[in-house]
Structures are given as C-alpha cells and as structure tokens.
Amino acid sequence: MRTRYRRKWTSPLALLACGALLLSGCAKFDNTAAGQNFTPVNPPSPEVPPQVGPGGEAGDSGPGRGSGGSNQPPTPVPPPQGCKDFDKSVIATCLDTVAAVAGIPGDGSAPSALAGERKSGRILLAAAEKEPAAWATIPVDGSGDGGLTSLAVSPGFAEDQLVFAYITTPTDNRVVRLAKGQAPKPVLTGIPKGATGNRGAIGTDGKGALLVATGDAGNPGLAADPASLAGKVLRIDTSGKPAPGNPTAGSAVFSTGVHSPGGLCRDQAGSRLWLTDSLADKDVVYRLTAGQPLTTPAWSWTDKPGVAGCADFVGAVGYLYVTTSIAGNLQNLPVTPDGAVTGKPGLTLDGKTGKPPKTFGRLAGMSMISPQLAVAGTVNKNGGAPVSSDDRVVLISPTIGGNGGGKD
C-alpha cells in the first residue's frame, strides 16, 4: 500500500501564469505544482538561438541551453520503501510496465490520469493523494512489443467519458473504445500485426478527430503502401470512419512513413502536431503536416535513446519534451511558436547529466493534463533497473522536468 501525502496543488491557471512570466525572464517557479522541493535551473535566454535545419542531429553544432542556478544542491529525495515513494510527483506505484497514459482534463483539483499496463491490459485511475483505482481491463497480446501501447481520452470526454486504446490482439492491432468498467468495443480493426512493429500511438487533433499512428508490423515497405493500414498516421472520427477534411476524401490516411511510433502530441489549438518514431538507424521526431509523407525529421537522435511520449510546452516555456524508454531521461527540444526546432535538446530527469539530479528511470507514454502539467509512465520492469516502487506514474511540468537545461 502507498502512503498518502497531503499537499496543496496549485491550479493550472496559476501554473500557466508562471509560464507566461517565464517568457519574460521569470526566474522563480511555483514548485507546489509538483510538490517537489528543489532549486530550479535558470530559465532559457529570451534570445532565439540560430536555427538549425530540419533533421539536425543531437550533439551537432546547434547551441545548447545552460544549466546554471543556485550553488546550493537540492534536498535529496529518500529512496522508496516498498511501494511507498517519497517523491511527491509520483502519483501511483507498484504497477507493471506503464506504457500508456492519458491525462484527464482537470478542474483545478488534484491531477489525475489513466495508466495502462502494456502486458496485462489493466487500466487504473491514478490521482494525487489517492490510491490507484481499477478502471478497466482489456484483453491483449502482450508478447514482443505489442499489448496496450497507447491511451487517449475522447475529444468529448467531459460529456461521453469515453477512452480510446491502441492494443494488440492475437490476430491484429486495433483501436478500441471503452468506458469505466465496460468491455472494449472495436473502432478500427485489421491493422497488420507482426513479430515486431506492433506499437501504436493515439492522440487528438484539437478539432474533434482522433490521430492514430500505426507501426509497420516489422515490414518497412508497408509504411509507403497506400493499401495498408500499417506504418501510417490515420485521422478518424470517434466511430472509426475517415474524418472530414482528410487529405484524400474517404481515406483515413493523414500521413505515411511511420515505423515504430512512440507518441503523438500537439499544442492546445492543434496547430502543431508531433510524432516520435524509431527507425532502424536513428530515433526521430516529426512535425506532422496533412498529406505529407514523413521523410524529414524535425530532429534526429543517432544514439537511439528510445524516444517515446511527447508533450508540447512550446506555448508556456518554448520546449517540446520527449521521454525516452532506453536512455531514461527527458529530452527538451527548444522550439519556436511556429514549430521550428532551434537547437540541440537538453537533458533533464537524467540521473547522470541532467538537472535537477533526480531520475525516474525509463519513461514511456506521456500525456498533457493542463497547459503546464503532463503525466508519464515508467517502464523500468522492461529491461531497466526497477526500484521497489516501480513501475510508477509521475507528473511532469517545467518545474520538475526542467526548462531545457543543456547537456553538460
């Protein structure tokens, strides 16, 4: 059993106000949003660094971000004791391979999210100051890289309380929808399944439609095959039909060229759409454009850290956050409001070079709760070095995720 912690949570409006101050040089952060007591790194310079071209490599000549700040080290968080985790940004513990999360839009109360275990298909409701509660279970085939790999709340969640999941079954990959305690109902079936390449990602486009990124089922050629649902970004309505306004009328295909997607994310308005993907020779993040194949990444990582979920904090602090499921850190890409990557990513939650000196290990799915708060799951039980409270659900914000601190 986890011990409850009583603490005051700052409303999303207060957090957003601090994000606005940050753009004008604010050097103080409201740490109560995450309940974490530490000294934050300096905010980024208001000057926009020289822009690197599309497809820039991590570690090339693009300018990094400094990681100055107080000379006083932050107070260390004690290690977990069993399922009790003393890090107050942790809102659920002792789960199994939390590959999928979906933030639940808040009303200023304690943050909450749905957390999905990849191998078991179990979904739990995780909320600050509460024990995780069973929400639903989906039968899945969790072998290889398949299972329950993504969750997204419905575009009309406040009214319909529906959730969408990307899952692997014994015969295919598919999108299903479900409500609390109910059996899943198929929305989009027949997505090819393979020995690998079964990972998928779901998001919303901010305009009432669902975005679904499908893996290539271990056959890279399917990503360019217009007759296959594999290796695509699909745009569908909540019933599974092609959404109005797609590049080709009557077709669900929004973009082609996906291989092993990690996460989909967007800004609040849906004007910036992002996809992380793992290729044979590099990890990448793409800026999505309707009807355009995915050929030129916004950024590439040749060291293949295992890019996974993402969160667009560009409107608040100017960074796209990307979680990594192998390196076990948070990559902070500096991005302009129009979606241009302006330099190499900094590292935070790294445990080695990142600041503040804390780490949750391997991070996977990521989802926004509010404009200044996201949630992520850990997958340390899948090849990592789990601690006694793993796997966990953690809150990520500019205050605890860093604000682009550069790699030392």
Side-chain angles (χ1 to χ4, degrees):
M1 296 290 293
R2 293 176 57 247
T3 298
R4 295 184 182 180
Y5 296 88
R6 299 193 60 83
R7 55 197 180 271
K8 180 180 178 182
W9 290 94
T10 299
S11 71
L13 290 178
L15 288 169
L16 186 57
C18 185
L21 289 173
L22 179 59
L23 294 175
S24 60
C26 170
K28 293 184 179 180
F29 298 80
D30 184 358
N31 291 333
T32 61
Q36 184 64 40
N37 181 20
F38 63 85
T39 302
V41 294
N42 284 340
S45 166
E47 299 179 2
V48 178
Q51 181 176 334
V52 296
E57 298 291 344
D60 64 12
S61 59
R65 293 295 190 182
S67 300
S70 170
N71 291 326
Q72 298 297 321
T75 302
V77 177
Q81 294 180 1
C83 291
K84 184 196 307 184
D85 200 300
F86 295 95
D87 193 314
K88 295 180 181 179
S89 55
V90 174
I91 61 172
T93 64
C94 289
L95 305 181
D96 183 26
T97 316
V98 186
V101 292
I104 296 177
D107 57 2
S109 58
S112 61
L114 294 173
E117 296 176 332
R118 180 179 70 82
K119 298 176 183 179
S120 72
R122 188 172 65 138
I123 302 172
L124 299 103
L125 176 63
E129 303 182 357
K130 296 181 180 179
E131 295 293 332
W135 197 84
T137 298
I138 307 174
V140 299
D141 177 1
S143 60
D145 61 351
L148 171 56
T149 57
S150 189
L151 289 169
V153 298
S154 165
F157 181 78
E159 290 78 29
D160 60 30
Q161 297 291 295
L162 292 176
V163 173
F164 293 83
Y166 193 95
I167 65 170
T168 306
T169 76
T171 58
D172 67 356
N173 292 294
R174 60 177 58 187
V175 177
V176 298
R177 72 172 180 267
L178 65 158
K180 181 180 180 180
Q182 296 184 4
K185 297 180 179 179
V187 172
L188 182 64
T189 62
I191 301 169
K193 176 188 177 183
T196 61
N198 297 301
R199 192 167 67 167
I202 306 179
T204 57
D205 69 350
K207 300 174 176 62
L210 295 173
L211 294 172
V212 181
T214 67
D216 64 13
N219 181 356
L222 294 180
D225 182 355
S228 176
L229 291 175
K232 307 292 187 297
V233 177
L234 308 173
R235 184 172 175 268
I236 59 176
D237 64 21
T238 54
S239 66
K241 298 178 181 179
N246 278 357
T248 300
S251 171
V253 176
F254 185 82
S255 190
T256 61
V258 185
H259 295 282
S260 183
L264 282 162
C265 59
R266 62 172 176 86
D267 67 333
Q268 289 297 108
S271 60
R272 293 184 301 267
L273 302 173
W274 307 95
L275 170 73
T276 65
D277 197 6
S278 181
L279 312 185
D281 59 341
K282 59 190 173 185
D283 288 350
V284 297
V285 60
Y286 294 108
R287 173 85 183 275
L288 297 179
T289 302
Q292 298 298 312
L294 302 176
T295 56
T296 304
W299 194 263
S300 301
W301 291 265
T302 55
D303 58 342
K304 291 182 66 64
V307 295
C310 58
D312 186 323
F313 284 106
V314 176
V317 295
Y319 287 88
L320 178 72
Y321 286 8
V322 177
T323 57
T324 63
S325 60
I326 296 176
N329 56 31
L330 195 64
Q331 304 267 341
N332 309 320
L333 279 163
V335 178
T336 63
D338 62 0
V341 177
T342 61
K344 67 181 181 180
L347 301 182
T348 48
L349 302 185
D350 187 58
K352 305 180 184 71
T353 60
K355 292 181 174 60
K358 59 184 288 187
T359 179
F360 298 113
R362 297 186 174 203
L363 296 163
M366 195 175 191
S367 175
M368 298 295 288
I369 295 177
S370 73
Q372 273 277 4
L373 190 64
V375 63
T378 74
V379 288
N380 292 310
K381 290 181 179 177
N382 185 29
V387 298
S388 67
S389 61
D390 274 323
D391 273 311
R392 295 169 281 177
V393 180
V394 300
L395 299 176
I396 304 291
S397 76
T399 18
I400 66 169
N403 53 347
K407 183 177 179 179
D408 291 338

